[in-house]
Amino acid sequence: MSVKKISTSFFVFFCLVIVAFLLKAYMGGQFHSVETLQEYVAKFGVFAPVILVVIQAMQVVIPVLPGFLGCAAGAVLFGSAGGFWCNYIGISLGSLIAFLLAKKYGVSLVQNIFPKDKYDKYSEWAGKSKSYTVLLFLGMVLPLFPDDFFCYFSGLTKMRMQKFAAIIILGKPWCILAYSIAFAKLGGI
């Protein structure tokens, strides 16, 4: 069985377990307000933020949902500071995992995860770009940048892990912080 099938199966199973818990909570009236949702999540204790970190890491590795949805959930559930840290740690870990997966398994993995036209477009652009590193950093700072793809794509370049990690660690928090503050205000936290 391929790595993609194993990771996809794990992610689907994990999502089904989460959906089952959420459905049970919804039927039990836990989602009537932000307060009741926060009370429900608080029952998971220390595991609540850990679950969000894992979800955010997995959403980068298996790009199904946009990351800002997790940022919104984190800010509403844990406040702007708590949500920020959970999201930042999860997204950063997922980004590093995606980079390493691309380094190890190469072009075929990236082409299996993303559409061929997207791969072709960006590989041609990055191949010609003399400032890919700067553009990658700016992309990590900006919202709505296709981060997941570029984490994988960067693993196909000659970029070293240390350089990529520095870009993630220094560039990623700004967008996540903006999301965390905005969504916490929307959630009334």
Side-chain angles (χ1 to χ4, degrees), residues 70-88:
C71 290
V76 168
L77 295 173
F78 304 114
S80 57
F84 165 77
W85 285 109
C86 291
N87 290 315
Y88 177 55

Side-chain angles (χ1 to χ4, degrees), residues 4-50:
K4 182 180 177 189
K5 287 182 182 179
I6 291 170
S7 61
T8 301
S9 298
F10 173 75
F11 185 68
V12 167
F13 175 75
F14 183 73
C15 287
L16 289 174
V17 169
I18 298 250
V19 167
F21 275 103
L22 293 176
L23 188 57
K24 182 180 177 201
Y26 177 77
M27 297 301 215
Q30 300 296 321
F31 296 168
H32 289 287
S33 68
V34 170
E35 292 79 21
T36 59
L37 178 60
Q38 289 171 331
E39 289 171 13
Y40 172 72
V41 170
K43 291 177 187 176
F44 291 96
V46 72
F47 292 108
V50 171

Side-chain angles (χ1 to χ4, degrees), residues 160-179:
R160 293 182 44 204
M161 174 64 173
Q162 294 84 348
K163 186 179 210 176
F164 181 76
I167 290 170
I168 295 300
I169 290 168
L170 298 173
K172 205 66 203 140
W174 306 109
C175 182
I176 296 170
L177 182 61
Y179 282 142

Side-chain angles (χ1 to χ4, degrees), residues 2 11 29 50 63 67 78 80 100 105 109 147 171 182:
S2 72
F11 185 68
V50 171
F78 304 114
S80 57
L100 291 171
Y105 296 104
L109 174 69
D147 303 19

Side-chain angles (χ1 to χ4, degrees), residues 1 23 25 35 59 63 105 108 113 118 123 134 140 143 167-169 173-174:
M1 191 179 276
L23 188 57
E35 292 79 21
Q59 69 81 21
Y105 296 104
S108 62
I113 296 174
K118 188 174 189 178
S123 63
V134 172
M140 292 300 143
I167 290 170
I168 295 300
I169 290 168
W174 306 109

Side-chain angles (χ1 to χ4, degrees), residues 180-189:
S180 297
I181 292 169
F183 287 121
K185 286 185 180 183
L186 289 174
I189 298 173

Side-chain angles (χ1 to χ4, degrees), residues 98-106 109 152 154-161:
F99 179 87
L100 291 171
L101 286 171
K103 280 281 185 213
K104 181 169 177 91
Y105 296 104
L109 174 69
Y152 276 101
S154 296
L156 300 177
T157 67
K158 294 179 182 177
M159 185 179 294
R160 293 182 44 204
M161 174 64 173

